[in-house]
Amino acid sequence: MSVAFTPGRIGGRTTRNRVVMAPMTRSRAYGPGNSPTELMATYYAQRASAGLVVTEGTQPSPAGQGYVDTPGLHSDEQVAGWRRVTDAVHARGGLIYAQLMHTGRVGHPDITGRTPVGPSAVRAAGVVHTRSGPQEMVVPEVLDAAGIARTVEDFASAASRAVEAGFDGVELHGANGYLLHQFLSTNANRRTDAWGGDVVGRTRLTLDVAGAAADAIGADRVGLRISPTNPLNDIEEEGHRATYTHLVEALDPLGLAYLHLVEASDVELTGLLRARWSGSLVLNPWTPGRMTGPEDLERLDRGDADLLAFGGLFLANADLPERLRRGGPFNAPDFARAYGGDGAGYTDYPTLAPAPDVDDVAVGA
């Protein structure tokens, strides 16, 4: 049996297995003020058999929203909505972290009524979907020192609200071209002050946010997601190995719950970072052209990581850990219904019939 089906560790908690549900935006926060709904509670509860459930990206402030109908964690009504979700997951014995995602320059005034912010006045190439349809992204407003300080506090405040809402912890989104990743990059961040320029400057915001969240709720409740060399949302990273080895070496003494690595083309970097990280490593493996699947469980058996994150398969297979244990079969996700809508393509995928108990099978029948 693969090590995937043995207990793992996240911070001070033991996980039931080493299969992680990766954070995935679903754009169904239809409650008041972008708050979670009962349908979202059903969705996450269905997937509670994961060793760890990480929620969809959740904005720590109104300025952090970059997509339509994504949830937040900056108001009392959002806390109340998320409490329904966490209660439902915990009722099924699950462990759930809220992913705190500030999208930075990714977004549009038609979504929030405000200009997105970023490290520099550099527009991200590409479009974002608004209620009026797809629109080109805009030049962001540059965060000044006061704006950066507010952003750090927003993350810390959202972390505290997450605990109030019943979450077991938070994952800081430093990947996929969003705000923290923008500061880490060399094309989105063209600053020459203390938050730009060299490796120390470009990693400063991520380190400040991690430290503030750890101070707010305890380091053993805080994880960080990174995606070195991932070009999503028009990101470039010259000298990425120096950036991420410095970042991980500076983070390690904080004692965070985990590091979540979204692997890209530089697969060798995984080993380099693992050697510098003394805590739990969650790996979202590089699988070009396909979704992460059962063949990737060997990465755990080889010791490349402590837990393995699955994205696309979790959309359509709420009981994914059991399906992986049995070797399938797997439902195919309906990506046309991934964002927005009702329960179709969200909570209506079939689950496996319970495996027969050995004592209930007639020997020799």
Side-chain angles (χ1 to χ4, degrees):
M1 181 178 71
S2 171
V3 70
F5 309 109
T6 64
R9 295 290 294 176
I10 290 292
R13 304 290 295 275
T14 299
T15 65
R16 61 174 67 181
N17 55 55
R18 297 168 185 258
V19 177
V20 173
M21 177 180 169
M24 292 173 285
T25 293
R26 304 307 307 270
S27 294
R28 285 172 167 86
Y30 302 137
N34 294 121
S35 60
T37 64
E38 289 291 346
L39 183 63
M40 289 173 61
T42 298
Y43 167 76
Y44 283 111
Q46 288 175 339
R47 290 153 179 81
S49 64
L52 172 66
V53 172
V54 185
T55 72
E56 61 211 272
T58 301
Q59 51 262 13
S61 65
Q65 182 175 3
Y67 300 108
V68 173
D69 295 323
T70 53
L73 256 172
H74 52 80
S75 73
D76 291 342
E77 58 194 359
Q78 291 165 350
V79 169
W82 278 119
R83 171 60 76 171
R84 290 194 291 269
V85 173
T86 59
D87 283 350
V89 170
H90 290 151
R92 297 195 180 188
L95 186 68
I96 182 167
Y97 271 42
Q99 189 193 63
L100 302 182
M101 179 178 79
H102 191 307
T103 60
R105 66 177 184 165
V106 176
H108 196 278
D110 280 5
I111 296 172
T112 62
R114 66 184 73 207
T115 301
V117 298
S120 301
V122 180
R123 186 185 75 85
V127 300
V128 65
H129 291 273
T130 72
R131 295 193 190 280
S132 304
Q135 298 196 54
E136 293 282 337
M137 284 186 271
V138 300
V139 176
E141 177 184 320
V142 178
L143 281 170
D144 60 13
I148 288 174
R150 284 195 301 272
T151 299
V152 173
E153 177 54 35
D154 287 340
F155 272 102
S157 177
S160 295
R161 285 186 177 274
V163 172
E164 182 184 351
F167 282 102
D168 300 292
V170 300
E171 176 180 285
L172 308 173
H173 199 349
N176 296 358
Y178 299 117
L179 184 67
L180 299 185
H181 198 190
Q182 291 161 25
F183 270 83
L184 292 170
S185 79
T186 50
N187 70 326
N189 185 349
R190 299 182 184 175
R191 305 174 75 106
T192 57
D193 63 3
W195 290 276
D198 61 10
V199 166
V200 173
R202 285 184 285 105
T203 57
R204 181 178 176 185
L205 180 60
T206 301
L207 293 169
D208 284 353
V209 167
D215 287 344
I217 64 173
D220 64 346
R221 287 182 168 187
V222 178
L224 172 68
R225 194 182 207 209
I226 58 174
S227 60
T229 75
N230 182 351
L232 189 64
N233 289 313
D234 194 24
I235 288 293
E236 297 176 8
E237 297 183 283
E238 296 177 9
H240 68 276
R241 288 194 174 187
T243 299
Y244 285 96
T245 52
H246 172 79
L247 176 65
V248 170
E249 288 171 351
L251 281 169
D252 193 61
L254 294 180
L256 300 185
Y258 64 86
L259 181 68
H260 186 173
L261 174 61
V262 181
E263 202 174 56
S265 56
D266 188 0
V267 178
E268 292 182 357
L269 181 61
T270 300
L272 297 176
L273 297 183
R274 183 156 174 73
R276 290 166 168 78
W277 183 251
S278 58
S280 293
L281 181 68
V282 178
L283 180 64
N284 201 146
W286 191 51
T287 57
R290 64 174 177 83
M291 295 180 291
T292 304
E295 60 268 45
D296 300 301
L297 294 175
E298 68 172 8
R299 299 294 299 272
L300 293 176
D301 299 328
R302 283 174 12 204
D304 292 351
D306 300 294
L307 300 98
L308 201 69
F310 291 80
L313 278 186
F314 249 125
L315 298 178
N317 300 276
D319 51 354
L320 183 59
E322 180 62 16
R323 289 179 184 267
L324 290 169
R325 190 183 67 82
R326 294 194 203 181
F330 301 98
N331 301 318
D334 182 356
F335 289 111
R337 296 182 175 182
Y339 304 108
D342 52 19
Y346 187 58
T347 56
D348 62 346
Y349 288 103
T351 56
L352 290 172
D357 190 272
V358 172
D359 294 336
D360 295 333
V361 177
V363 177

